[in-house]
Amino acid sequence: MFEFAYPWVLAGLLLLPFFYMLERFWRKRPSVVVSQAIPFASAYRKRWNPTFPEWCRLLAVAVLIVALARPRAGDEKVVIRSQGIDIVLALDMSGSMRAYDVPKNLTDPRKLLEKINKKEINNRLDAAKAEIRRFIEKRPNDRIGLLGFADLAYSFAPPTLDHSWLLLQLDRLQPGMIGDATGIASPIGSAVSRLKNSAVPRRVLVLFTDGTNTAVNRLTPEQAARLAKEFNIIIHTVGIGSNNAYVLDNTFGSRFIPAGDNFDEKLLKTIADTTSGSYFHADDAPALRKVMEEIDRMEKTTVEQPRYMEYREFSPNLAVAVALLLLLGFVADHTWKMRLP
């Protein structure tokens, strides 16, 4: 962005004719005494045209006025200072996450199969992955980790700012790849281990599940939640599933087996309440999107963006030009433009 720091100084350019007349008036000119000046009148009138040295001096004054107005080109700089949130996303990968939560107005199995084949309806895990991807992409300043759990929890990515790599790990998750049971205490314990030594002021676990706690661990989910509270880790829980859900069975042709919603809502609420978090229920993909948007609003970080202008000043270069013009005028006056009476 080009600008003048003192644009009002440019009004001095209007005074250039005055500077010219002033120089003409005060400067001593070579002269001779004659009895009559009439023969020289026409020549005298022509002399009011500026000479080369006068042009140099007038141009030097004009450039000086422009230099005093401080022309400059500025580049706006933005410095982002932020201390983001450390977030761990724990996603249920048990076999029940293969289920499809079907809109209640869709009752024809053939149409349902068609929408599944066109990816218009995804299973619970794929629907959750799609919304988690959007969530990650909107939070570039936060370190985000990824856990998958079934019988036990597995760390697919520690809290990281390398979100491109994180999304690649997210794409790997498939229902049943690490077991078919659901152990809720294990991902909480793993998240506490990842987050307890974090230096950021806010540490969050978001736990997604569609099942009840069926795995046997050394800690119960309630005990794991109390452990998270001791380290000031907030847990948001998301119960996934509706009572209009089906698993696609291709063993003897394509057929749908009712699945239903089996998550333990009371347990998920208890875990969230223990850690001052929130419980959400997502019965289909649109509801899951609203849940993730709400969590995103709740866990916003304050990012400072101080702005400043970095200027490149042209006045020093113009000052050099003024000096050169004055020098050129002086040399011209005393060499090839010198006049004798």
Side-chain angles (χ1 to χ4, degrees), residues 171-301:
D171 290 339
R172 294 174 52 197
L173 308 189
Q174 297 297 328
M177 68 181 291
I178 57 175
D180 286 319
T182 301
I184 294 177
S186 182
I188 297 176
S190 296
V192 170
S193 177
R194 289 288 185 183
L195 295 173
K196 65 180 181 180
N197 295 321
S198 173
V200 300
R202 190 169 178 86
R203 292 158 289 177
V204 176
L205 166 65
V206 185
L207 186 144
F208 305 82
T209 184
D210 73 337
T212 58
N213 184 61
T214 56
V216 178
N217 300 111
R218 288 183 296 175
L219 294 178
T220 66
E222 293 86 353
Q223 289 172 328
R226 289 193 290 271
L227 180 64
K229 181 181 180 181
E230 289 182 14
F231 290 99
N232 297 317
I233 297 170
I234 296 167
I235 303 177
H236 300 305
T237 55
V238 182
I240 299 175
S242 68
N243 55 13
N244 191 39
Y246 300 88
V247 174
L248 178 60
D249 182 11
N250 292 314
T251 305
F252 301 102
S254 297
R255 64 192 184 101
F256 291 99
I257 302 173
D261 55 339
N262 299 311
F263 61 87
D264 189 339
E265 186 173 66
K266 181 179 178 181
L267 174 61
L268 297 181
K269 287 181 177 179
T270 298
I271 292 171
D273 291 341
T274 300
T275 61
S276 301
S278 299
Y279 162 75
F280 302 92
H281 176 208
D283 55 5
D284 57 15
L288 186 57
R289 176 169 297 187
K290 291 180 181 179
V291 167
M292 296 308 294
E293 289 173 350
E294 178 62 23
I295 293 175
D296 181 58
R297 284 191 293 268
M298 291 169 56
E299 299 299 341
K300 280 295 185 187
T301 53

Side-chain angles (χ1 to χ4, degrees), residues 56-57 59-67 315-328:
C56 288
R57 286 188 286 273
L59 188 57
V61 173
V63 175
L64 179 61
I65 291 172
V66 174
S315 293
N317 295 334
L318 293 177
V320 173
V322 169
L324 291 175
L325 286 168
L326 291 175
L327 178 61
L328 182 60

Side-chain angles (χ1 to χ4, degrees), residues 36-107:
Q36 195 176 41
I38 294 175
F40 301 96
S42 60
Y44 179 76
R45 281 193 294 271
K46 291 181 182 178
R47 289 292 311 279
W48 283 98
N49 294 327
T51 63
F52 178 77
E54 288 170 341
W55 274 118
C56 288
R57 286 188 286 273
L58 283 174
L59 188 57
V61 173
V63 175
L64 179 61
I65 291 172
V66 174
L68 291 174
R70 284 187 64 190
R72 58 190 184 177
D75 292 325
E76 186 177 47
K77 305 293 184 181
V78 179
V79 179
I80 299 177
R81 301 191 187 101
S82 66
Q83 190 173 28
I85 299 172
D86 277 1
I87 303 174
V88 170
L89 305 171
L91 186 55
D92 190 343
M93 295 173 59
S94 60
S96 59
M97 291 291 282
R98 296 187 182 93
Y100 296 88
D101 291 296
V102 180
K104 291 186 177 179
N105 60 353
L106 183 59
T107 56

